[in-house]
């Protein structure tokens, strides 16, 4: 288990919890989709750990508009645990939070992966915090892999191309 404290990272004090799997100098930080939890990542995290990476899975806060701070706190925790290289990866809402964190909070990572990470969640309701990555995307400096598909209802090929163009 890993306790992540957004206050320790200089943020808003939200206490988060996570799990670390595997060993190695490279750590992959996994931000989950909504309304899932870190448990949704376990099969993939197990594969990464078997392939030699360390993995930090964490539960994001359930309320608030700064899910990006949760990603930053997880990246900081990865460094605190001795990771030499950190890759931040998120799916759907976690992908959106990772994109915002990479641009707005300008954290230093070795790479960013956004899997069906929407760039504009301002219109989404039902308790999902709004995230809008577009104004911050130009500030992303780490290598970026954006995963979407032609038939993905959240991030189709046009959305991926638009993000990469920005």
């Amino acid at each position: 288990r890993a306790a992540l404290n957004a206050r320790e990272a200089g943020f808003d004090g939200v206490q988060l919890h996570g799990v670390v799997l595997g060993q190695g100098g490279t750590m992959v930080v996994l931000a989950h989709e909504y309304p899932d939890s870190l448990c949704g990542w376990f099969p993939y995290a197990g594969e990464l750990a078997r392939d030699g990476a360390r993995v930090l899975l964490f539960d994001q806060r359930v309320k608030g508009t700064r899910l990006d701070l949760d990603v930053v706190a997880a990246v900081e925790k990865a460094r605190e645990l001795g990771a030499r290289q950190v890759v931040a990866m998120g799916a759907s809402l976690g992908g959106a939070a990772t994109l915002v964190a990479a641009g707005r909070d300008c954290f230093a990572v070795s790479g960013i992966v956004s899997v069906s990470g929407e760039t504009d969640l301002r219109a989404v309701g039902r308790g999902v915090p709004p995230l809008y990555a577009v104004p911050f995307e130009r500030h992303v400096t780490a290598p970026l892999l954006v995963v979407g598909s032609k038939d993905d209802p959240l991030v189709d090929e046009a959305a991926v191309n638009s993000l990469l163009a920005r």
Side-chain angles (χ1 to χ4, degrees):
R1 292 189 175 199
L4 289 71
N5 188 333
R7 180 176 297 135
E8 291 171 2
F11 302 119
D12 62 358
V14 173
Q15 189 77 28
L16 307 170
H17 295 89
V19 176
V20 177
L21 303 175
Q23 298 178 25
T26 298
M27 188 172 291
V28 180
V29 171
L30 297 174
H32 62 79
E33 53 195 333
Y34 177 87
D36 213 345
S37 71
L38 63 82
C39 295
W41 278 118
F42 268 114
Y44 183 61
E47 288 182 37
L48 289 171
R50 280 189 296 279
D51 288 341
R54 266 175 104 187
V55 184
L56 171 59
L57 307 87
F58 68 98
D59 275 329
Q60 299 171 51
R61 66 185 75 199
V62 294
K63 292 183 178 180
T65 58
R66 295 301 307 271
L67 291 175
D68 57 307
L69 295 181
D70 299 352
V71 177
V72 175
V75 166
E76 292 295 322
K77 187 61 157 184
R79 295 207 184 288
E80 180 183 309
L81 293 171
R84 292 187 303 276
Q85 295 183 19
V86 179
V87 175
M89 179 175 182
S92 191
L93 185 69
T98 301
L99 287 171
V100 172
R104 175 168 44 195
D105 305 309
C106 302
F107 60 14
V109 291
S110 301
I112 299 164
V113 181
S114 177
V115 181
S116 291
E118 303 91 329
T119 59
D120 187 355
L121 290 174
R122 292 175 297 172
V124 177
R126 299 179 316 256
V128 178
L131 290 170
Y132 186 45
V134 174
F136 309 108
E137 292 165 351
R138 70 179 188 277
H139 300 294
V140 174
T141 58
L144 172 65
L145 172 62
V146 180
V147 181
S149 70
K150 182 173 54 172
D151 298 323
D152 187 330
L154 302 176
V155 181
D156 61 12
E157 185 178 5
V160 169
N161 290 335
S162 178
L163 167 62
L164 293 176
R166 288 188 302 270

